[in-house]
Amino acid sequence: MNQWAFVAAAYALALLATATVIVLSWRAMREAEGQAEDRPRP
Amino acid sequence: MHRFANPARFLKIARPLTGWLFWPGLSLILAGCFCGLFVTPADYLQGETVRILYIHVPAAWLGMAGWSGIAVAALMQLVWRHPLASIAGRALAAPGALFTAICLATGSIWGRPTWGTWWEWDGRMTSMLVLLFLYLGYIALANASARQGQGGVSAVTAIFGLVGAINIPIINRSVVWWNSLHQGPSITLRGSSIDGSLLWPLGLTFLGFSLLFGAIVLMRMRTLLARNKIEARMQRLARG
């Protein structure tokens, strides 16, 4: 049993999942803040 | 805390703080992972798989810390009616669920070569799985209350967050109360049973993931506040 394969899988999964949530949160924030600032006031 | 009840005052601090937490957090994670993978020695018994420690432990901590934060936010929402508390509770849920899932997945990957099984229904693993289900329930309730026109979470969702906190001490004490495949507490107030040569990168990833978690929560709070602003403007426009 190659132990490094388990280590690599654990790190890849954790770092990819973290990166995904960062990107999604960042994009949602930029989009929402952009819309909140751009929309003309009534 | 009520000084930050004004969203404008909160955002004035949250905007620069997001970057101040994000970049040092990311740097510490990358440094900790590099050292954990390539600098520290393999464990005499577990071999190379011990390196999973550096991501598994911070994920477990953040899964539990996230729900503790939800419970504190729920208390502030229900008792003191703090206007940002429900926003904070909602912002904590998704990253908390993510790190709980990462903890379960990395634990399972660690368990296969170490224990010979991917999963065991013992106290620690089951209570952590319950935490993930609690997060999913909280997110569903929070989304349902948001659809009813609230930016944060409803009182029912806050009560759910408060009651769900019962699971946190159960997770913490599970390895003491019940026989478990999972090892007992390795790091306590009295010290650590992990050798110093293996332990030090854990400090880097622990702090790094904690800072990054804070940055993600701030991003999500800023998103919710901006959406509230848009919603309020749309309602004013609709009323003419």
Side-chain angles (χ1 to χ4, degrees):
Chain A
M1 193 178 287
N2 181 5
Q3 292 189 330
W4 273 107
F6 289 93
V7 175
Y11 273 76
L13 185 112
L15 296 179
L16 272 175
T18 307
T20 304
V21 84
I22 288 168
V23 171
L24 291 177
S25 302
W26 176 259
R27 278 175 56 183
M29 181 190 76
R30 295 286 294 185
E31 199 179 302
E33 287 190 339
Q35 281 179 6
E37 298 306 320
D38 290 347
R39 200 175 290 264
R41 287 176 183 278
Chain B
M1 270 298 166
H2 280 273
R3 282 179 59 227
F4 303 110
N6 181 340
R9 187 176 291 168
F10 168 78
L11 285 172
K12 201 174 168 185
I13 298 164
R15 283 192 179 119
L17 192 59
T18 308
W20 294 343
L21 293 177
F22 180 82
W23 293 110
L26 189 66
S27 308
L28 284 169
I29 290 168
L30 293 176
C33 287
F34 178 82
C35 296
L37 284 171
F38 304 113
V39 178
T40 56
D43 182 64
Y44 80 101
L45 192 61
Q46 295 188 40
E48 305 293 350
T49 56
V50 77
R51 301 180 195 283
I52 297 173
L53 165 87
Y54 307 115
I55 47 171
H56 176 73
V57 173
W61 145 248
L62 289 172
M64 291 195 287
W67 196 278
S68 304
I70 285 174
V72 171
L75 196 67
M76 290 181 74
Q77 179 185 347
L78 295 169
V79 178
W80 293 288
R81 309 258 176 214
H82 194 292
L84 287 179
S86 66
I87 300 277
R90 199 160 166 222
L92 280 159
L98 171 87
F99 282 105
T100 305
I102 290 174
C103 169
L104 287 165
T106 54
S108 180
I109 293 168
W110 197 354
R112 182 67 186 88
T114 310
W115 303 328
T117 180
W118 296 100
W119 184 262
E120 190 64 40
W121 292 100
D122 79 349
R124 172 57 65 88
M125 283 170 260
T126 306
S127 56
M128 208 64 196
L129 185 65
V130 168
L131 181 66
L132 180 63
F133 292 149
L134 285 171
Y135 270 118
L136 298 179
Y138 183 92
I139 290 167
L141 275 172
N143 286 343
S145 58
R147 277 197 289 274
Q148 289 162 15
Q150 297 176 30
V153 297
S154 63
V156 172
T157 315
I159 291 166
F160 181 78
L162 211 51
V163 174
I166 293 168
N167 193 38
I168 299 300
I170 294 174
I171 295 170
N172 183 263
R173 304 309 295 166
S174 58
V175 287
V176 178
W177 291 341
W178 300 296
N179 284 328
S180 174
L181 269 180
H182 196 283
Q183 67 194 62
S186 308
I187 302 168
T188 63
L189 292 174
R190 281 170 286 177
S192 166
S193 59
I194 303 171
D195 187 73
S197 64
L198 290 172
L199 188 64
W200 63 271
L202 182 61
L204 300 179
T205 54
F206 192 89
L207 183 61
F209 274 108
S210 301
L211 294 177
L212 201 72
F213 185 86
I216 295 168
V217 171
L218 284 179
M219 283 182 211
R220 300 182 79 84
M221 285 184 77
R222 286 170 59 181
T223 307
L224 292 168
L225 286 170
R227 285 181 184 158
N228 280 359
K229 197 174 166 184
I230 297 165
E231 179 72 24
R233 203 172 284 169
M234 298 278 274
Q235 283 180 4
R236 278 203 305 273
L237 277 170
R239 282 196 297 266

